[in-house]
Every structure is written in C-alpha cells, then in structure tokens.
Amino acid sequence: MTNPLYDTIFAPHAGKQTPFLYLPDGSVITHDSFVRRAAQLAHALAGYGVGTGDRIAVQVEKCPDMLALYAACAQAGIIFLPLNTAYTGAELAYFVEDSGAKLLIGDPARGAELQGVADKAGAAFATLDARGGTLSDAADGQADTYETVARSGDDLAAFLYTSGTTGRSKGAMLSQNNLISNAKTLTDLWRFTSDDVLLHALPIFHTHGLFVATNVMLVAGGAMAFLPKLDIDQLIDWMPRATAMMGVPTFYTRLLDDARFDRALTQDMRLFISGSAPLLSDTHVAFEARTGHRILERYGMTETNMNTSNPYDGYRRAGTVGLPLPDVALKVCDADGTELPRGETGVVEVRGPNVFQGYWNMPEKTAEELRGDGFFITGDLGVQDADGYVTIVGRGKDLIISGGYNIYPKELELVLDTQPGVLESAVIGVPHPDLGEMPLAVLVPEGGAQIDIEAIGRAVADDLARFKQPRRYEIRESLPRNTMGKVQKAALRSEYGA
Ligand code: MCA
Ligand code: AMP
C-alpha cells in the first residue's frame, strides 16, 4: 500500500455507484462521487500551497465537503485538524498558532474575523460551508482524480486538540495506523456491512462522529443518513430507513422523552451504540423496556480512539463499558502504574495500535501521560470484574463532560480569576438531566468587593465557547481546602450538586 489510510478507507470506493450520504434535502452522494469530490478538494488544497505533512485547521459546519476534506487530506498526506464550530476567535487563534497550520478553513459568515486569526498566525485562509465558499469554488473546476501521496502507517493523519488540566489545550497526534486499527476492529466487532445505514447526527469535528462513525461506515461500505445535528423529529423520521445509530447519552434520553419513539419505530434497527460520556443504567433499562434493544456502550478517548466495547452477541452489561477491544491491552493501576488485582478501583491504562503518538510540541506532557512501555494513563478511574468487563467509576482528572463535550475547569478558572472583584474561583460539574453534567462556578470576592455576575458572563462569552460557559454562579466567602491547601472540589460538588 502506498498510503494505508487512503488505500484502506477511501480508495476501495472509487467507481462504486452505491449511496454513501443521504442528505436531509433528499439528495444522495454516492461512494464514487464522494471520492471524486475529495480528489477535487485535494487539488484545491495544493492551490493554497498546502503540501505533504502540513496541517490544515478546519472549523466548518457539518456538510459533505467538510467530510470530503478529511478524505482529501488522507489522499494528499496532509494532517487534518478539525475544530468545534462553537469555538470563539480567541480559542481558534491558539489552535492555528500552536499547530502551525498552513491554512485555516472557516465559516464564510465569520470571514473577516477568521481572516484576522489566519493573518496573525501567518496562515492562508479559505471559506467553506454547506452552500459553498472559496475552497469549494477552487475545487469545482479541478480534475476529479488525484495521485495519492505515498505515506506510511506511522505518518500522522490528524491532530485533535483536547483541553488539559493545566488549561492549555494539547494537540493529540494520531497516525494513520491509529485510525486504521480502530476502523477495522470496530467494523468487525459491531458487524457493520454494506447493508447498513447509520443515523449520523453527531458533529464531525470529534473522534466519535468523525473517526468512529465515518471510518467504520467507509470500511464497511455502508451509508449514512447525514443529519446536520441532533434533531429528534429528523431522527424519528429517518429511523425506519436506518439500521444503526451512534450517539452520546443525551441522544438516548431525548429519544426516550418522545412518545413517538417506541418498539415499532425501531423494529428494523439492529444496533444502538452509546459513548463519549457515561450512560446511566436507568437509561439503559428504560431503553430496553421501550424498544427491546439493549444499547451497546463503549469507551474511548481522543488520544486513544476506542478502548473497550460491550459485545455484539454476548451480554451487554448496563453501567459497564464492556471488554477491552481485541487488540487493546487494558490494566487498572495505582498511581505508580502497578497493576491492581481484579475488582479493585484504580486508574485505567491502555496500550495498543489505537494509542496516539503524543502531544504536538509537548514532550513533557507526553511523557507524563504516555509511559515508556506504551501504556497511556487515561486519567479515568475504573474497575474490571472477574469476567473482564470494565466499569468507569469516576475521573482522576478534573474534567466535566456536558452533552459529550469536554470542559476542563482550569480553562474557566483562569478566565474567572482575572475578573474584577474576583479573588479566586473553582469550577465544578453538577448533574444535569439533559446534558449529564454542567459547569457551575463558585466565586470568592476580594475583600469587600461586589461581584457583577452579568459582566463576568459577558467577559467569559468573549473568550470561551458557549458550551463551556458556567450555567450557574455561586458566591461564597472562601473555598474549602485540605491541609495541603488544595481546593476540595468533592465538598463543593456535594454542597451544590443537588
Ligand atoms: C450545545 N449547547 C451545549 C452543548 N451543546 N451546552 C453544553 N453542552 C453541550 N454539549 C448549547 C449551545 O451553545 C446553545 O446555547 C444551546 O445549548 C442549544 O444549542 P444546540 O446546538 O441547539 O444544542 P443541542 O442540539 O441541544 O446539542 C446538544 C447535543 C450536542 C446534542 C448534546 O452538544 C452534541 O451533539 N453533542 C455530541 C458531542 C460529541 O460528539 N462528543 C464526542 C466527543 P445557548 O442557547 O445558550 O446559546 S469524542 C469523545 O468524547 C470520545 C473520543 C468518545 O468516547 O467518543
Ligand atoms: P475526550 O477527551 O473528548 O476524548 O473524552 C474522553 C473521556 O470521555 C474519557 O476519558 C472518559 O472520561 C469519557 N468517556 C468516554 N466514553 C465514556 C463512557 N462510555 N463512559 C464513561 N466515560 C466515557
């Protein structure tokens, strides 16, 4: 193979006139036309001076061209860096500068702002959305074949930025082999074939919607109902024509809240998969009672793709994330990395062809989390039972997961601590019925100062994407600390969690 990722995932589809993307307007993109569009986009990228090994930063709404850009990057040996469409200009500037991206592709409606971000970082700028843009225009007239650039499986295919406990986002470097191993393993494990139609309502800038869903469907040669976002009416409308769905737990709780969602509607579905955040056992049980289907829960991370999955044929245990994938070694360890006996709770560590290559330009951070023997320290607390099933019982890392999006409290605290009248702050996750968790900010005023929460809300909105912004503020005189001076977030969570 000259380019394992392209040759495994995309090249086999050239010439296939079978449906790949069903779009909400009734149009269909075939496998062949998808591959041809990717080739046109690869030519357009070359026109912007982007070459093998370069990065492109892509903040584009979910649309077929955004997905085809991923294929174009694979074919041209370019490193694909997708970014959450909710990120502000300030957040975006960091990613473009840190990654050294040669080209930023963004929303035409934010053209002037994003052009400024690109200029500051010394990157070129192009626009793209579902209606078109300068990149799409540049691609339209191009040849629809492209000479695939030779790459090895160890070459990098993508950067995905993941926030950190220090507040600084880290670029997780994923190789071609990282993506290929998971794509093949999951296709086999979950029995995807060319007969499948996947309901795809996830965003495509994260591992779940991009690599898990799309790569699996491409390896299988199946199709996707490619929906712009989670819209329960659309899901219900498409369900009788689909065979499988992947979603975060909010997808399942919202479906259960709708009386139209029942056994008859799901009778032709063969599989519902959940991940990215804990699925409550109650949801699992209610889902089975309503539909007769047992949701298959799996567990992964940006740095590792997928690590564990409940079995397809065997018993899917509610509240667990199942068994390590066939090519993944998993152990539960103490803080020193010593493996604990089965049944004891500790930090989950994983090793396998899925585990990333390290954090871009952060050798110390990489060394802290990726051991010399290849085990990655996930920061999740778990326990493995005698049958090998893994349960994630909590997080050693200070992380909030809201509707499947990660929010690192430190990033918010750094902004809150600099606001007028604020001495210090602590951000915690509290339960939320729809999104699982939501951020709550506890603020301590400087002696005698008045805190203007509305002004703080506006300042936070300038810097941070909406989904990260605290939904509640509490003011108190001091933060509870232990004898080492560390803020006791568990105490705050039990005080405000209810
Ligand atoms: C939207 N909003 C949110 C979230 N999403 N707030 C907090 N958390 C969220 N996740 C806010 C918007 O800013 C807006 O605020 C209001 O909610 C409505 O926005 P809308 O877009 O209509 O929201 P929604 O359609 O209800 O979206 C909720 C959602 C969505 C369906 C849960 O966030 C989603 O699709 N999440 C999936 C994320 C995902 O793919 N995660 C995978 C990461 P306002 O009205 O105030 O302006 S990959 C991963 O974790 C690993 C590797 C793995 O294992 O998969
Ligand atoms: P991210 O950094 O966005 O890839 O998020 C990865 C984190 O999501 C993991 O470290 C877990 O904390 C969490 N996660 C993913 N899937 C599950 C799951 N099925 N159950 C519990 N937590 C999960």
Side-chain angles (χ1 to χ4, degrees), residues 55 94 98-99 156 158-166 168-175 178 301-305 350 355-371 375-380 397 399 406 408:
R55 275 82 57 202
Y94 171 80
D98 186 72
S99 66
L156 297 181
F159 277 14
L160 287 188
Y161 272 82
T162 147
S163 297
T165 43
T166 58
R168 237 186 114 205
S169 281
K170 303 166 287 184
M173 300 187 287
L174 295 157
S175 70
N178 291 152
M301 285 185 76
T302 298
E303 288 92 333
T304 63
N305 296 287
V350 292
V355 173
F356 77 141
Q357 308 302 303
Y359 298 113
W360 170 249
N361 276 345
M362 289 188 180
E364 306 82 21
K365 268 275 147 212
T366 303
E368 273 171 34
E369 297 182 29
L370 197 54
R371 296 189 188 279
F375 271 93
F376 176 68
I377 306 165
T378 64
D380 290 312
K397 52 195 173 189
L399 163 69
N406 285 8
Y408 276 88

Short mmCIF file of all heavy atoms in Angstrom, two decimals, residues 55 94 98-99 156 158-166 168-175 178 301-305 350 355-371 375-380 397 399 406 408:
data_model
loop_
_atom_site.label_atom_id
_atom_site.label_comp_id
_atom_site.label_asym_id
_atom_site.label_seq_id
_atom_site.Cartn_x
_atom_site.Cartn_y
_atom_site.Cartn_z
N ARG A 55 -0.28 20.96 8.18
CA ARG A 55 -1.56 20.88 8.89
C ARG A 55 -2.56 21.87 8.27
O ARG A 55 -2.15 22.96 7.87
CB ARG A 55 -1.41 21.27 10.38
CG ARG A 55 -0.97 20.17 11.29
CD ARG A 55 0.51 19.93 11.29
NE ARG A 55 1.30 21.09 11.63
CZ ARG A 55 2.59 21.23 11.30
NH1 ARG A 55 3.22 20.31 10.60
NH2 ARG A 55 3.25 22.32 11.66
N TYR A 94 -5.47 30.20 19.14
CA TYR A 94 -4.50 29.33 19.82
C TYR A 94 -4.23 28.07 18.99
O TYR A 94 -3.08 27.67 18.79
CB TYR A 94 -5.02 28.95 21.22
CG TYR A 94 -4.18 27.88 21.88
CD1 TYR A 94 -2.97 28.21 22.49
CD2 TYR A 94 -4.56 26.54 21.84
CE1 TYR A 94 -2.18 27.22 23.06
CE2 TYR A 94 -3.77 25.55 22.41
CZ TYR A 94 -2.58 25.90 23.02
OH TYR A 94 -1.79 24.92 23.58
N ASP A 98 -0.67 27.31 17.52
CA ASP A 98 0.04 26.19 18.16
C ASP A 98 0.37 25.09 17.15
O ASP A 98 1.45 24.51 17.17
CB ASP A 98 -0.79 25.62 19.31
CG ASP A 98 -0.03 24.56 20.08
OD1 ASP A 98 0.91 24.93 20.81
OD2 ASP A 98 -0.35 23.36 19.93
N SER A 99 -0.58 24.80 16.26
CA SER A 99 -0.38 23.69 15.32
C SER A 99 0.50 24.10 14.15
O SER A 99 1.00 23.25 13.42
CB SER A 99 -1.74 23.23 14.77
OG SER A 99 -2.31 24.26 13.98
N LEU A 156 1.57 10.88 10.43
CA LEU A 156 0.41 11.47 11.11
C LEU A 156 -0.71 11.75 10.12
O LEU A 156 -0.48 12.17 8.99
CB LEU A 156 0.82 12.77 11.80
CG LEU A 156 1.87 12.62 12.90
CD1 LEU A 156 2.18 13.98 13.52
CD2 LEU A 156 1.37 11.65 13.98
N ALA A 158 -3.96 13.06 11.62
CA ALA A 158 -4.84 14.08 12.21
C ALA A 158 -4.28 14.59 13.52
O ALA A 158 -3.55 13.87 14.22
CB ALA A 158 -6.24 13.49 12.43
N PHE A 159 -4.63 15.82 13.83
CA PHE A 159 -4.43 16.39 15.17
C PHE A 159 -5.83 16.64 15.72
O PHE A 159 -6.67 17.23 15.03
CB PHE A 159 -3.79 17.78 15.10
CG PHE A 159 -2.31 17.82 14.96
CD1 PHE A 159 -1.57 16.72 14.60
CD2 PHE A 159 -1.64 19.02 15.20
CE1 PHE A 159 -0.19 16.80 14.45
CE2 PHE A 159 -0.27 19.11 15.06
CZ PHE A 159 0.46 18.01 14.68
N LEU A 160 -6.08 16.21 16.95
CA LEU A 160 -7.32 16.62 17.61
C LEU A 160 -6.92 17.28 18.91
O LEU A 160 -6.20 16.68 19.71
CB LEU A 160 -8.22 15.42 17.90
CG LEU A 160 -8.94 14.76 16.72
CD1 LEU A 160 -9.93 13.73 17.23
CD2 LEU A 160 -9.67 15.77 15.85
N TYR A 161 -7.36 18.50 19.10
CA TYR A 161 -7.00 19.21 20.33
C TYR A 161 -7.91 18.79 21.47
O TYR A 161 -9.11 18.65 21.31
CB TYR A 161 -7.05 20.73 20.12
CG TYR A 161 -5.72 21.23 19.59
CD1 TYR A 161 -5.41 21.13 18.24
CD2 TYR A 161 -4.76 21.71 20.45
CE1 TYR A 161 -4.18 21.54 17.77
CE2 TYR A 161 -3.52 22.12 19.99
CZ TYR A 161 -3.23 22.04 18.65
OH TYR A 161 -2.00 22.43 18.19
N THR A 162 -7.29 18.55 22.61
CA THR A 162 -8.05 18.17 23.78
C THR A 162 -7.57 19.05 24.93
O THR A 162 -6.36 19.26 25.08
CB THR A 162 -7.91 16.66 24.09
OG1 THR A 162 -7.98 16.46 25.50
CG2 THR A 162 -6.63 16.09 23.59
N SER A 163 -8.51 19.62 25.68
CA SER A 163 -8.12 20.53 26.75
C SER A 163 -7.40 19.76 27.83
O SER A 163 -7.45 18.54 27.87
CB SER A 163 -9.34 21.22 27.32
OG SER A 163 -9.93 22.00 26.33
N GLY A 164 -6.77 20.49 28.70
CA GLY A 164 -5.99 19.79 29.72
C GLY A 164 -6.23 20.36 31.10
O GLY A 164 -6.85 21.40 31.25
N THR A 165 -5.71 19.65 32.09
CA THR A 165 -5.91 20.07 33.47
C THR A 165 -5.14 21.35 33.78
O THR A 165 -5.38 22.00 34.78
CB THR A 165 -5.46 18.95 34.43
OG1 THR A 165 -4.24 18.43 33.93
CG2 THR A 165 -6.49 17.86 34.51
N THR A 166 -4.19 21.74 32.90
CA THR A 166 -3.46 22.99 33.12
C THR A 166 -4.16 24.16 32.44
O THR A 166 -3.73 25.30 32.57
CB THR A 166 -2.04 22.90 32.53
OG1 THR A 166 -2.17 22.61 31.15
CG2 THR A 166 -1.21 21.86 33.23
N ARG A 168 -4.33 24.54 29.21
CA ARG A 168 -3.78 24.70 27.84
C ARG A 168 -4.13 23.48 27.01
O ARG A 168 -3.83 22.35 27.41
CB ARG A 168 -2.25 24.81 27.93
CG ARG A 168 -1.72 26.07 27.31
CD ARG A 168 -0.21 26.06 27.29
NE ARG A 168 0.24 26.03 25.90
CZ ARG A 168 1.41 25.55 25.52
NH1 ARG A 168 2.24 25.03 26.39
NH2 ARG A 168 1.75 25.59 24.25
N SER A 169 -4.76 23.69 25.86
CA SER A 169 -5.14 22.56 25.02
C SER A 169 -3.92 21.90 24.41
O SER A 169 -2.94 22.56 24.10
CB SER A 169 -6.05 23.04 23.89
OG SER A 169 -7.33 23.23 24.37
N LYS A 170 -4.04 20.59 24.25
CA LYS A 170 -2.92 19.80 23.72
C LYS A 170 -3.35 19.16 22.40
O LYS A 170 -4.45 18.63 22.30
CB LYS A 170 -2.56 18.69 24.71
CG LYS A 170 -2.21 19.19 26.10
CD LYS A 170 -2.19 18.07 27.12
CE LYS A 170 -3.58 17.58 27.49
NZ LYS A 170 -3.62 16.57 28.55
N GLY A 171 -2.47 19.20 21.43
CA GLY A 171 -2.78 18.60 20.12
C GLY A 171 -2.40 17.13 20.14
O GLY A 171 -1.22 16.78 20.12
N ALA A 172 -3.41 16.26 20.18
CA ALA A 172 -3.14 14.81 20.17
C ALA A 172 -2.84 14.40 18.73
O ALA A 172 -3.63 14.64 17.82
CB ALA A 172 -4.35 14.05 20.69
N MET A 173 -1.66 13.80 18.54
CA MET A 173 -1.23 13.43 17.18
C MET A 173 -1.64 11.98 16.90
O MET A 173 -1.21 11.06 17.61
CB MET A 173 0.29 13.55 17.08
CG MET A 173 0.80 14.96 17.36
SD MET A 173 2.58 15.14 17.05
CE MET A 173 3.27 14.24 18.45
N LEU A 174 -2.46 11.81 15.88
CA LEU A 174 -2.95 10.47 15.53
C LEU A 174 -2.35 10.03 14.20
O LEU A 174 -2.38 10.78 13.22
CB LEU A 174 -4.48 10.49 15.44
CG LEU A 174 -5.15 10.78 16.79
CD1 LEU A 174 -6.54 11.34 16.61
CD2 LEU A 174 -5.19 9.53 17.65
N SER A 175 -1.81 8.82 14.22
CA SER A 175 -1.18 8.32 13.00
C SER A 175 -2.22 7.61 12.13
O SER A 175 -3.33 7.28 12.58
CB SER A 175 -0.06 7.34 13.35
OG SER A 175 -0.63 6.15 13.87
N ASN A 178 -3.18 4.43 13.81
CA ASN A 178 -4.12 4.61 14.93
C ASN A 178 -5.56 4.54 14.42
O ASN A 178 -6.42 3.90 15.01
CB ASN A 178 -3.93 5.97 15.61
CG ASN A 178 -2.62 6.11 16.36
OD1 ASN A 178 -2.09 7.20 16.50
ND2 ASN A 178 -2.08 5.01 16.86
N MET A 301 -11.30 7.66 24.05
CA MET A 301 -10.75 9.00 24.29
C MET A 301 -10.18 9.55 23.00
O MET A 301 -9.83 8.77 22.11
CB MET A 301 -9.58 8.93 25.28
CG MET A 301 -9.95 8.71 26.70
SD MET A 301 -8.47 8.79 27.70
CE MET A 301 -8.17 10.54 27.77
N THR A 302 -10.04 10.85 22.94
CA THR A 302 -9.41 11.46 21.77
C THR A 302 -8.02 10.86 21.53
O THR A 302 -7.63 10.59 20.39
CB THR A 302 -9.30 12.98 22.01
OG1 THR A 302 -10.62 13.50 22.17
CG2 THR A 302 -8.61 13.67 20.86
N GLU A 303 -7.28 10.66 22.61
CA GLU A 303 -5.89 10.18 22.47
C GLU A 303 -5.81 8.71 22.05
O GLU A 303 -4.75 8.26 21.62
CB GLU A 303 -5.15 10.32 23.82
CG GLU A 303 -4.80 11.74 24.20
CD GLU A 303 -5.88 12.40 25.06
OE1 GLU A 303 -7.06 11.99 24.94
OE2 GLU A 303 -5.55 13.31 25.83
N THR A 304 -6.88 7.97 22.26
CA THR A 304 -6.78 6.52 22.06
C THR A 304 -7.81 5.97 21.08
O THR A 304 -7.82 4.76 20.84
CB THR A 304 -7.00 5.78 23.39
OG1 THR A 304 -8.33 6.05 23.84
CG2 THR A 304 -6.01 6.22 24.45
N ASN A 305 -8.68 6.80 20.54
CA ASN A 305 -9.85 6.24 19.84
C ASN A 305 -10.56 5.31 20.84
O ASN A 305 -10.53 5.55 22.03
CB ASN A 305 -9.46 5.54 18.56
CG ASN A 305 -8.87 6.48 17.54
OD1 ASN A 305 -9.59 7.26 16.95
ND2 ASN A 305 -7.57 6.46 17.36
N VAL A 350 -4.11 2.04 29.05
CA VAL A 350 -4.35 1.23 27.83
C VAL A 350 -3.14 1.28 26.91
O VAL A 350 -2.42 2.28 26.85
CB VAL A 350 -5.59 1.71 27.05
CG1 VAL A 350 -6.87 1.44 27.81
CG2 VAL A 350 -5.50 3.18 26.68
N VAL A 355 -3.44 3.73 20.27
CA VAL A 355 -2.95 4.80 21.16
C VAL A 355 -2.08 5.80 20.38
O VAL A 355 -1.17 5.41 19.64
CB VAL A 355 -2.17 4.20 22.35
CG1 VAL A 355 -1.51 5.30 23.17
CG2 VAL A 355 -3.13 3.39 23.23
N PHE A 356 -2.36 7.07 20.59
CA PHE A 356 -1.78 8.18 19.82
C PHE A 356 -0.25 8.26 19.94
O PHE A 356 0.37 7.52 20.71
CB PHE A 356 -2.42 9.50 20.24
CG PHE A 356 -1.96 10.08 21.56
CD1 PHE A 356 -1.78 11.45 21.72
CD2 PHE A 356 -1.73 9.28 22.67
CE1 PHE A 356 -1.36 12.00 22.92
CE2 PHE A 356 -1.31 9.83 23.89
CZ PHE A 356 -1.12 11.19 24.00
N GLN A 357 0.30 9.22 19.19
CA GLN A 357 1.76 9.34 19.09
C GLN A 357 2.33 10.39 20.04
O GLN A 357 3.54 10.61 20.05
CB GLN A 357 2.13 9.72 17.65
CG GLN A 357 1.53 8.80 16.60
CD GLN A 357 1.95 7.36 16.83
OE1 GLN A 357 3.14 7.05 16.86
NE2 GLN A 357 0.98 6.47 17.02
N GLY A 358 1.47 11.03 20.84
CA GLY A 358 1.96 12.05 21.77
C GLY A 358 1.29 13.39 21.48
O GLY A 358 0.50 13.52 20.54
N TYR A 359 1.61 14.38 22.33
CA TYR A 359 1.04 15.72 22.16
C TYR A 359 2.03 16.58 21.37
O TYR A 359 3.22 16.60 21.68
CB TYR A 359 0.76 16.37 23.51
CG TYR A 359 -0.27 15.63 24.34
CD1 TYR A 359 0.10 15.00 25.54
CD2 TYR A 359 -1.59 15.56 23.93
CE1 TYR A 359 -0.84 14.32 26.30
CE2 TYR A 359 -2.53 14.88 24.69
CZ TYR A 359 -2.15 14.26 25.87
OH TYR A 359 -3.07 13.59 26.62
N TRP A 360 1.50 17.27 20.38
CA TRP A 360 2.30 18.12 19.49
C TRP A 360 3.09 19.15 20.31
O TRP A 360 2.49 19.89 21.10
CB TRP A 360 1.35 18.82 18.52
CG TRP A 360 1.92 19.91 17.68
CD1 TRP A 360 1.64 21.25 17.79
CD2 TRP A 360 2.82 19.77 16.58
NE1 TRP A 360 2.31 21.94 16.82
CE2 TRP A 360 3.05 21.06 16.06
CE3 TRP A 360 3.47 18.68 15.98
CZ2 TRP A 360 3.88 21.29 14.97
CZ3 TRP A 360 4.30 18.92 14.90
CH2 TRP A 360 4.50 20.20 14.41
N ASN A 361 4.41 19.12 20.12
CA ASN A 361 5.28 20.11 20.76
C ASN A 361 5.20 20.12 22.28
O ASN A 361 5.49 21.15 22.89
CB ASN A 361 4.97 21.54 20.26
CG ASN A 361 5.67 21.84 18.96
OD1 ASN A 361 6.59 21.10 18.59
ND2 ASN A 361 5.25 22.88 18.27
N MET A 362 4.78 19.03 22.89
CA MET A 362 4.69 18.99 24.36
C MET A 362 5.32 17.69 24.87
O MET A 362 4.62 16.81 25.39
CB MET A 362 3.24 19.06 24.83
CG MET A 362 2.59 20.41 24.65
SD MET A 362 0.97 20.43 25.46
CE MET A 362 0.45 22.09 25.10
N PRO A 363 6.64 17.56 24.74
CA PRO A 363 7.27 16.30 25.15
C PRO A 363 7.09 15.98 26.64
O PRO A 363 6.93 14.81 27.01
CB PRO A 363 8.75 16.50 24.80
CG PRO A 363 8.93 17.95 24.51
CD PRO A 363 7.59 18.51 24.15
N GLU A 364 7.05 17.03 27.49
CA GLU A 364 6.92 16.74 28.93
C GLU A 364 5.53 16.21 29.24
O GLU A 364 5.36 15.26 29.99
CB GLU A 364 7.17 17.99 29.81
CG GLU A 364 8.47 18.72 29.59
CD GLU A 364 8.42 19.67 28.40
OE1 GLU A 364 7.29 20.07 28.01
OE2 GLU A 364 9.47 19.99 27.83
N LYS A 365 4.51 16.85 28.64
CA LYS A 365 3.13 16.39 28.85
C LYS A 365 2.98 14.97 28.33
O LYS A 365 2.33 14.12 28.95
CB LYS A 365 2.16 17.31 28.09
CG LYS A 365 1.64 18.44 28.92
CD LYS A 365 0.42 18.01 29.71
CE LYS A 365 0.37 18.73 31.04
NZ LYS A 365 -0.23 17.95 32.11
N THR A 366 3.59 14.72 27.17
CA THR A 366 3.50 13.38 26.60
C THR A 366 4.12 12.37 27.56
O THR A 366 3.52 11.32 27.84
CB THR A 366 4.24 13.34 25.23
OG1 THR A 366 3.67 14.33 24.38
CG2 THR A 366 4.12 11.98 24.58
N ALA A 367 5.29 12.72 28.10
CA ALA A 367 5.99 11.77 29.00
C ALA A 367 5.20 11.55 30.29
O ALA A 367 5.25 10.47 30.88
CB ALA A 367 7.38 12.30 29.32
N GLU A 368 4.42 12.56 30.71
CA GLU A 368 3.62 12.40 31.94
C GLU A 368 2.48 11.40 31.74
O GLU A 368 2.05 10.75 32.68
CB GLU A 368 2.95 13.73 32.31
CG GLU A 368 3.79 14.64 33.16
CD GLU A 368 3.14 16.01 33.29
OE1 GLU A 368 1.89 16.11 33.32
OE2 GLU A 368 3.89 17.01 33.34
N GLU A 369 1.98 11.31 30.50
CA GLU A 369 0.76 10.50 30.30
C GLU A 369 0.99 9.23 29.50
O GLU A 369 0.18 8.31 29.56
CB GLU A 369 -0.31 11.38 29.63
CG GLU A 369 -0.70 12.53 30.54
CD GLU A 369 -1.78 13.44 30.01
OE1 GLU A 369 -2.62 12.96 29.25
OE2 GLU A 369 -1.76 14.63 30.36
N LEU A 370 2.08 9.19 28.75
CA LEU A 370 2.37 8.02 27.91
C LEU A 370 3.62 7.36 28.46
O LEU A 370 4.71 7.93 28.39
CB LEU A 370 2.57 8.49 26.47
CG LEU A 370 2.50 7.51 25.33
CD1 LEU A 370 1.21 6.70 25.34
CD2 LEU A 370 2.62 8.24 23.99
N ARG A 371 3.47 6.17 29.03
CA ARG A 371 4.63 5.51 29.66
C ARG A 371 5.59 4.97 28.60
O ARG A 371 5.19 4.71 27.46
CB ARG A 371 4.16 4.35 30.53
CG ARG A 371 3.31 4.80 31.71
CD ARG A 371 3.06 3.63 32.65
NE ARG A 371 2.09 4.00 33.69
CZ ARG A 371 2.40 4.69 34.79
NH1 ARG A 371 3.64 5.07 35.00
NH2 ARG A 371 1.46 4.99 35.67
N PHE A 375 2.01 2.20 27.54
CA PHE A 375 0.69 2.34 28.19
C PHE A 375 0.36 3.83 28.36
O PHE A 375 1.19 4.62 28.79
CB PHE A 375 0.68 1.64 29.55
CG PHE A 375 0.27 0.20 29.44
CD1 PHE A 375 1.23 -0.80 29.31
CD2 PHE A 375 -1.07 -0.16 29.42
CE1 PHE A 375 0.85 -2.13 29.19
CE2 PHE A 375 -1.46 -1.48 29.29
CZ PHE A 375 -0.49 -2.47 29.17
N PHE A 376 -0.88 4.18 28.03
CA PHE A 376 -1.36 5.55 28.16
C PHE A 376 -2.20 5.64 29.44
O PHE A 376 -3.09 4.81 29.68
CB PHE A 376 -2.21 5.95 26.95
CG PHE A 376 -2.81 7.32 27.07
CD1 PHE A 376 -2.02 8.45 27.06
CD2 PHE A 376 -4.18 7.48 27.23
CE1 PHE A 376 -2.57 9.72 27.20
CE2 PHE A 376 -4.75 8.74 27.36
CZ PHE A 376 -3.94 9.86 27.35
N ILE A 377 -1.91 6.66 30.25
CA ILE A 377 -2.64 6.84 31.51
C ILE A 377 -3.87 7.68 31.20
O ILE A 377 -3.77 8.89 30.93
CB ILE A 377 -1.74 7.55 32.54
CG1 ILE A 377 -0.41 6.79 32.68
CG2 ILE A 377 -2.45 7.71 33.87
CD1 ILE A 377 0.69 7.58 33.38
N THR A 378 -5.05 7.03 31.22
CA THR A 378 -6.26 7.73 30.75
C THR A 378 -6.74 8.81 31.71
O THR A 378 -7.42 9.75 31.29
CB THR A 378 -7.44 6.75 30.57
OG1 THR A 378 -7.75 6.20 31.86
CG2 THR A 378 -7.10 5.63 29.60
N GLY A 379 -6.44 8.66 33.02
CA GLY A 379 -6.99 9.59 34.00
C GLY A 379 -8.40 9.22 34.42
O GLY A 379 -9.00 9.87 35.27
N ASP A 380 -8.95 8.16 33.82
CA ASP A 380 -10.27 7.67 34.24
C ASP A 380 -10.09 6.63 35.34
O ASP A 380 -9.15 5.83 35.30
CB ASP A 380 -11.01 7.04 33.05
CG ASP A 380 -11.44 8.09 32.05
OD1 ASP A 380 -12.01 9.10 32.47
OD2 ASP A 380 -11.16 7.90 30.85
N LYS A 397 -8.96 12.86 36.71
CA LYS A 397 -8.67 14.19 36.14
C LYS A 397 -9.86 15.11 36.40
O LYS A 397 -10.99 14.65 36.52
CB LYS A 397 -8.42 14.05 34.64
CG LYS A 397 -9.52 13.31 33.90
CD LYS A 397 -9.13 12.85 32.52
CE LYS A 397 -10.21 11.97 31.90
NZ LYS A 397 -9.82 11.33 30.66
N LEU A 399 -12.34 17.02 35.14
CA LEU A 399 -12.98 17.16 33.82
C LEU A 399 -14.50 17.11 33.99
O LEU A 399 -15.01 16.31 34.77
CB LEU A 399 -12.51 16.00 32.92
CG LEU A 399 -13.31 15.68 31.66
CD1 LEU A 399 -13.14 16.81 30.63
CD2 LEU A 399 -12.82 14.37 31.03
N ASN A 406 -16.12 17.97 26.28
CA ASN A 406 -15.28 18.08 27.47
C ASN A 406 -15.06 19.53 27.86
O ASN A 406 -14.80 20.37 27.02
CB ASN A 406 -13.92 17.45 27.20
CG ASN A 406 -13.99 15.95 27.19
OD1 ASN A 406 -15.08 15.40 27.25
ND2 ASN A 406 -12.87 15.30 27.12
N TYR A 408 -12.73 21.56 30.67
CA TYR A 408 -11.73 21.49 31.74
C TYR A 408 -11.87 22.70 32.65
O TYR A 408 -11.70 23.84 32.20
CB TYR A 408 -10.32 21.38 31.15
CG TYR A 408 -10.00 19.94 30.81
CD1 TYR A 408 -10.33 19.42 29.57
CD2 TYR A 408 -9.43 19.10 31.76
CE1 TYR A 408 -10.08 18.08 29.27
CE2 TYR A 408 -9.17 17.77 31.47
CZ TYR A 408 -9.50 17.27 30.22
OH TYR A 408 -9.26 15.96 29.94
#
